[in-house]
Amino acid sequence: MARTAHFALHRATLDQSTSNTLTTPSAPAPKLALFDVQGVWLAAMVPKRWAKRAVTRNTIRRQIYCVSADFELALPDAAHVIRLRSGFDRALFPSATSAKLKSTVRQELQQLFATAVARPSAAPTRQDRA
C-alpha cells in the first residue's frame, strides 16, 4: 500500500461479513465476525535479518508505534502492518539507540504514513465518523 526505502505498510480491511462457521449436519451455525472490534489495528514487523541487535529492533519498533499514534485518526479502520524491508547501514548508525538513527527512522515513518493517508481508501476513517 505504501513503501519507503526501508519500510512497507500493508493494509487488510476488517471485514465483518467474513464468517467463521462450524456446521453440523442438523443445524447451521451462526455466522461469527472475524474481528469483533472495529478500529485501527497496528502491528510492527522488524525481522532479525534486517536488524541484528535486539536493541535496534526494539528502538525501531518503538518509533513505529510512536509515529503511528500521530496518524491513527487519519487511518481507515483496518489491520495495518509496518514491515522493515531493508536494514540500516551500521557504518552510518553504529549505535542502536543513537539520536541520528531515531530521527532517520522517524522521518521515514512519517513519510510512509503521510503517503498511506493520502491514498484513497474505501473504509471510513475515525475523523469521518466523528
Side-chain angles (χ1 to χ4, degrees):
M1 128 135 243
R3 181 178 290 203
T4 62
H6 292 95
F7 295 98
L9 174 68
H10 305 278
R11 180 187 302 163
T13 59
L14 302 174
D15 186 12
Q16 284 194 347
S17 65
T18 303
S19 64
N20 180 11
T21 58
L22 299 173
T23 58
T24 59
S26 60
K31 290 188 177 190
L32 302 173
L34 182 60
F35 297 103
D36 290 336
V37 179
Q38 290 295 310
V40 177
W41 292 44
L42 186 76
M45 195 168 88
V46 184
K48 192 183 275 189
R49 175 181 183 184
W50 300 120
K52 300 287 186 206
R53 296 181 286 181
V55 66
T56 306
R57 291 192 303 273
N58 290 333
T59 299
I60 292 171
R61 198 174 294 119
R62 281 188 211 105
Q63 290 296 318
I64 290 171
Y65 289 126
C66 184
V67 172
S68 67
D70 297 337
F71 288 91
E72 184 177 4
L73 292 176
L75 291 171
D77 288 349
H80 299 83
V81 176
I82 295 91
R83 178 177 56 92
L84 181 65
R85 56 187 286 260
S86 66
F88 287 91
D89 187 10
R90 285 184 66 175
L92 296 174
F93 306 103
S95 173
T97 58
S98 69
K100 184 178 176 183
L101 176 64
K102 289 178 183 178
S103 68
T104 302
V105 169
R106 178 176 284 276
Q107 288 173 353
E108 196 166 327
L109 288 169
Q110 288 172 339
Q111 177 187 358
L112 179 77
F113 280 107
T115 303
V117 168
R119 293 186 89 160
S121 67
T125 63
R126 288 182 179 215
Q127 287 178 340
D128 295 339
R129 288 175 288 161

